Amino acid sequence: MTFDPLMWVFATNARYKHSRRSCLELKPSLGRFFTDELLAFAGFVIVDELPSPPLEQVKAMGLESLLTPSAQGLTLANTYYLKPAAAGQLRVHVHELVHVLQWRNLGAARFIDRYLQEIARHGYRQAPLEQMACELEHLFALSPARGFDITAEVKHRLAP
């Protein structure tokens, strides 16, 4: 049986749906960066261990670099998963919300294909979608009180 990453994403999100918290909780801190609509659409789950596809499938795709013990978050469609130590860090929420926007703007299948191809080609840290999330996280950290429209910025950067 062939591993289907998209089916795994949907199954994982279904498994954790009762633990999912709305990102509207973050509106007081992140409302100057993300629309209310996006914060209502997105959610997060705090987990001791980040969800992971079966190890043999990850190795078969050449993506072992994704399974590092130092990883703090993982975004699957409109839900992201955080380790407890990262849950209180707004920078991490911003980073993962950028990935939610990428998923939404590209569509699930296209996001998965592109993200996995970029990691295989460039490595995890240098993958363009990952770089975008890191850059916008950094811009947030430079001016958390000022605010800027991250939703529009992601859409602009993903435009053909």
Side-chain angles (χ1 to χ4, degrees):
M1 185 172 184
T2 305
F3 175 69
D4 182 342
L6 195 53
M7 292 304 294
W8 177 80
V9 165
F10 294 139
T12 300
N13 285 346
R15 185 168 58 249
Y16 286 96
K17 71 179 178 182
H18 298 295
S19 303
R20 187 177 189 270
R21 295 164 57 178
S22 172
C23 288
L24 278 172
E25 288 181 28
L26 305 171
K27 183 179 175 174
S29 302
L30 298 181
R32 291 180 305 281
F33 300 90
F34 299 99
T35 63
D36 289 357
E37 186 273 329
L38 184 272
L39 293 174
F41 173 72
F44 64 96
V45 180
I46 300 170
V47 292
D48 290 326
E49 221 173 289
L50 297 177
S52 172
L55 184 57
E56 61 275 6
Q57 299 300 331
V58 174
K59 285 183 177 180
M61 293 186 289
L63 299 170
E64 296 92 333
S65 63
L66 288 176
L67 301 179
T68 64
S70 63
Q72 295 297 305
L74 171 71
T75 302
L76 302 175
N78 68 336
T79 302
Y80 58 93
Y81 298 82
L82 299 173
K83 289 184 178 176
Q89 298 177 37
L90 288 175
R91 283 181 72 142
V92 178
H93 285 276
V94 168
H95 183 101
E96 301 304 331
L97 282 164
V98 169
H99 288 314
V100 169
L101 286 165
Q102 292 168 339
W103 276 84
R104 189 162 95 175
N105 281 277
L106 294 171
R110 191 166 156 223
F111 173 87
I112 289 173
D113 288 343
R114 179 172 167 179
Y115 193 76
L116 296 180
Q117 287 176 15
E118 287 180 1
I119 290 171
R121 184 176 304 124
H122 304 285
Y124 172 67
R125 295 276 177 218
Q126 286 70 42
L129 288 172
E130 194 59 39
Q131 284 289 303
M132 182 192 304
C134 290
E135 289 168 14
L136 292 171
E137 170 192 346
H138 180 71
L139 288 174
F140 162 80
L142 290 175
S143 59
R146 194 185 94 218
F148 64 98
D149 189 348
I150 293 177
T151 303
E153 183 63 25
V154 169
K155 187 173 184 176
H156 170 74
R157 290 183 183 208
L158 290 174

